[in-house]
Amino acid sequence: MSSKRSTSVHAALLTVPLVIGALGTAAAPAGAVGSNSSKSLTCRGAGVDPDALVRFRTETVIHAPLRTIWKLQTDVERWPSWQAPVESAERLDQGPLRKGSAFRWTTPAPATPTTPATTLEITSTVEQFKHHSCIRWTGPAVGDGLRIDGVHVWTFTEVRGGVLVRTEETHTGEQVESNVPLATEILADGLKGWLRDLKTTAEARDCERPRGHR
């Protein structure tokens, strides 16, 4: 799920795209494209929830090495260092991220007319994984009076000048399904925000690398 990037009512309805994106009003990264296309992303043949009413897909090209981008995305415990909405993140297993890995992380959710301000605890499990290629995880985000179940797929494809990063997520749950257009808008903002932070951080790190090590 995506992390919250706003204190608006919008931000309260949806949280961190499972695992993580960010909800809120962040602008899309340069070159990002949003889509509600029926053609879903997949990782090792598995995609998002085909029956979910709330879904969004977006993509951008990141001008950094694949290894840099992959490291940022899979080093879960360091997410808080480059994604401010992620308050904490811990692995529930050890070693490199892989199929079957699980992690728990938290993000705040402000009060809404129907739910109190709360801290969402997200427990994510990696269901499909291909090194330097794709990740698919699932899991619930739970807080006081709020639960969202999500499925999140990421794919990474090397292209000229960088890496094309695509992401798609679906959300289900009573609160988000009560207003699908709004929930979809919030999910879109969250995924675009996550890509923005990933792009900004990866490209900055690449610029810091000595020229001979690129």
Side-chain angles (χ1 to χ4, degrees):
M1 288 216 153
S2 311
S3 27
K4 304 294 185 206
R5 298 179 188 271
S6 163
T7 56
S8 66
V9 172
H10 282 196
L13 291 178
L14 260 226
T15 73
V16 200
L18 274 166
V19 288
I20 156 184
L23 298 179
T25 57
V33 176
S35 172
N36 273 323
S37 169
S38 60
K39 184 177 181 181
S40 292
L41 298 178
T42 62
C43 182
R44 293 193 177 275
V48 293
D49 184 345
D51 299 319
L53 300 178
V54 180
R55 66 172 59 220
F56 193 76
R57 173 178 169 179
T58 188
E59 62 186 54
T60 194
V61 173
I62 299 179
H63 302 289
L66 176 57
R67 63 180 178 275
T68 299
I69 300 165
W70 185 260
K71 176 66 173 176
L72 284 168
Q73 187 74 340
T74 59
D75 191 358
V76 172
E77 291 183 310
R78 292 188 62 80
W79 280 355
S81 71
W82 58 275
Q83 296 195 73
V86 181
E87 293 185 335
S88 67
E90 63 173 328
R91 285 284 301 277
L92 302 180
D93 61 330
Q94 297 181 343
L97 198 71
R98 60 195 181 278
K99 182 178 179 180
S101 289
F103 49 98
R104 182 181 298 120
W105 46 295
T106 61
T107 188
T112 74
T114 57
T115 60
T118 186
T119 295
L120 288 161
E121 183 176 272
I122 303 100
T123 303
S124 302
T125 301
V126 177
E127 306 286 356
Q128 279 76 32
F129 184 95
K130 185 175 181 181
H131 185 67
H132 281 184
S133 178
C134 66
I135 313 170
R136 177 182 177 270
W137 60 62
T138 66
V142 180
D144 292 338
L146 178 63
R147 178 184 173 110
I148 302 169
D149 289 286
V151 182
H152 202 165
V153 178
W154 291 83
T155 67
F156 305 81
T157 306
E158 289 186 290
V159 296
R160 183 170 183 150
V163 177
L164 174 61
V165 181
R166 294 187 173 106
T167 184
E168 182 175 17
E169 185 169 5
T170 54
H171 285 175
T172 58
E174 181 180 352
Q175 289 82 13
V176 295
E177 290 169 359
S178 68
N179 190 332
V180 171
L182 175 59
T184 302
E185 178 184 344
I186 295 167
L187 176 59
D189 287 341
L191 292 180
K192 291 172 184 178
W194 194 337
L195 274 183
R196 179 202 63 191
D197 286 349
L198 183 61
K199 178 180 175 72
T200 298
T201 306
E203 292 180 351
R205 291 194 180 183
D206 186 48
C207 288
E208 293 169 358
R209 291 170 60 87
R211 187 173 299 273
H213 293 274
R214 295 188 181 183

